[in-house]
Amino acid sequence: MERVPILKIGDILLVSIQIDMEDQVALQLQEDLADRIVATGCHGVIIDISALDIVDSFVGRTLATIAAISKVLDADTVVVGMRPAVAITLVELGLSLPGIRTALNVELGMDLLARERGEDDDEPDDEDEDEPGASAVATS
Amino acid sequence: MERVPILKIGDILLVSIQIDMEDQVALQLQEDLADRIVATGCHGVIIDISALDIVDSFVGRTLATIAAISKVLDADTVVVGMRPAVAITLVELGLSLPGIRTALNVELGMDLLARERGEDDDEPDDEDEDEPGASAVATS
């Protein structure tokens, strides 16, 4: 059976879906990904679908399930690389991928994950030191 | 026709090969990758083959061609994720992938590329500022 490889890059697991999402492939991917999240302690999952011509309701449901499983395991999921035609078809079909965040490409997905993770931690950010206090209204 | 997606991550282009490397797919990948290297100015290419059960002489030649094209375009190539069984079969077949560098996974591949790139640049590194002057000659 074909398996979708899961690549670890820093704190992120990257999955590039290129093969048809049949039942068994989807179930195996969910299981592999959950195992890898637990094994690596990664906090982000990026799923690249730039190779997919079609995202039907089954694929949409699979992505939503993966996002939900990851969430329970304390990892955020972002779907990246959706083709314009796929987005149009999805909306025409009445599928809006509820519960799934998207970004245009892997880099923007990484940025999104880093931002969300930064907001989750309530620690003040060292990099903000050259900004004046937020309440000082504008600069003028 | 199926196409292998190319993902840009920082200064690196990541290709995860999951489909059978037929002639047309291989040619298209070489062309797409060359275009992306030129368009992005990336200096590293990582090819993940963890999904491949078999690396035959055609795939080996394709990888070598990609590495050679990338080199001409000033990008280094690392092949990552080779399965142990694939490595054994390759050597038994007398294929040793000449001209191709390998690493165990994407992260180690990125490290390798960063190291090589660091050695290629002969410019002094800004980060070294807390080291004493290499030989007082320079500055003034």
Side-chain angles (χ1 to χ4, degrees):
Chain A
M1 196 191 65
E2 293 189 284
R3 269 175 121 115
V4 181
I6 300 169
L7 308 174
K8 180 176 179 295
I9 301 173
D11 190 36
I12 285 171
L13 296 176
L14 175 64
V15 180
S16 174
I17 297 178
Q18 298 172 28
I19 56 178
D20 285 338
M21 264 291 173
E22 287 153 20
D23 286 25
Q24 275 306 310
V25 175
L27 286 176
Q28 186 71 53
L29 175 58
Q30 286 167 19
E31 204 177 310
D32 289 348
L33 197 53
D35 285 348
R36 283 296 292 275
I37 292 172
V38 172
T40 59
C42 283
H43 287 116
V45 175
I46 293 184
I47 302 179
D48 171 68
I49 58 168
S50 59
L52 297 187
D53 287 321
I54 298 167
V55 173
D56 57 15
S57 61
F58 176 72
V59 174
R61 222 163 35 238
T62 303
L63 294 175
T65 308
I66 287 174
I69 294 172
S70 304
K71 193 73 218 165
V72 177
L73 295 171
D74 192 25
D76 296 313
T77 304
V78 180
V79 171
V80 306
M82 188 184 293
R83 299 189 190 178
V86 169
I88 292 169
T89 312
L90 269 180
V91 172
E92 282 177 352
L93 289 174
L95 300 169
S96 57
L97 301 184
I100 299 176
R101 260 152 326 156
T102 53
L104 275 188
N105 57 44
V106 175
E107 287 186 314
L108 294 173
M110 285 179 162
D111 289 350
L112 178 60
L113 287 173
R115 245 185 352 257
E116 300 222 330
R117 204 28 66 175
E119 283 168 13
D120 283 359
D121 304 344
D122 279 327
E123 299 163 352
D125 216 303
D126 286 346
E127 289 168 23
D128 292 345
E129 57 194 356
D130 45 7
E131 277 183 35
S135 59
V137 194
T139 32
S140 81
Chain B
M1 195 192 64
E2 292 188 284
R3 269 176 122 115
V4 180
I6 300 169
L7 308 175
K8 179 175 179 295
I9 301 174
D11 189 36
I12 285 170
L13 296 176
L14 175 65
V15 181
S16 173
I17 298 178
Q18 298 171 30
I19 57 178
D20 284 339
M21 265 292 173
E22 287 154 18
D23 286 25
Q24 274 308 310
V25 175
L27 286 176
Q28 186 70 53
L29 176 59
Q30 286 168 17
E31 205 177 309
D32 289 347
L33 198 52
D35 286 345
R36 283 297 291 275
I37 292 172
V38 171
T40 60
C42 282
H43 288 116
V45 174
I46 293 184
I47 303 178
D48 171 67
I49 58 167
S50 59
L52 298 187
D53 287 322
I54 298 166
V55 173
D56 57 15
S57 61
F58 176 71
V59 175
R61 220 162 37 236
T62 302
L63 294 175
T65 308
I66 287 174
I69 294 172
S70 305
K71 193 74 218 164
V72 177
L73 296 171
D74 192 25
D76 296 313
T77 304
V78 180
V79 171
V80 305
M82 188 184 292
R83 298 188 191 179
V86 170
I88 293 169
T89 313
L90 270 179
V91 172
E92 282 176 353
L93 289 174
L95 302 169
S96 57
L97 301 183
I100 299 177
R101 260 152 326 156
T102 52
L104 275 188
N105 57 45
V106 176
E107 287 186 313
L108 294 173
M110 286 179 163
D111 289 350
L112 177 60
L113 288 173
R115 242 182 0 254
E116 299 221 331
R117 201 33 62 172
E119 284 167 11
D120 282 0
D121 301 346
D122 281 327
E123 301 161 349
D125 218 303
D126 285 348
E127 290 166 24
D128 292 345
E129 57 194 353
D130 43 7
E131 278 182 35
S135 67
V137 189
T139 46
S140 60

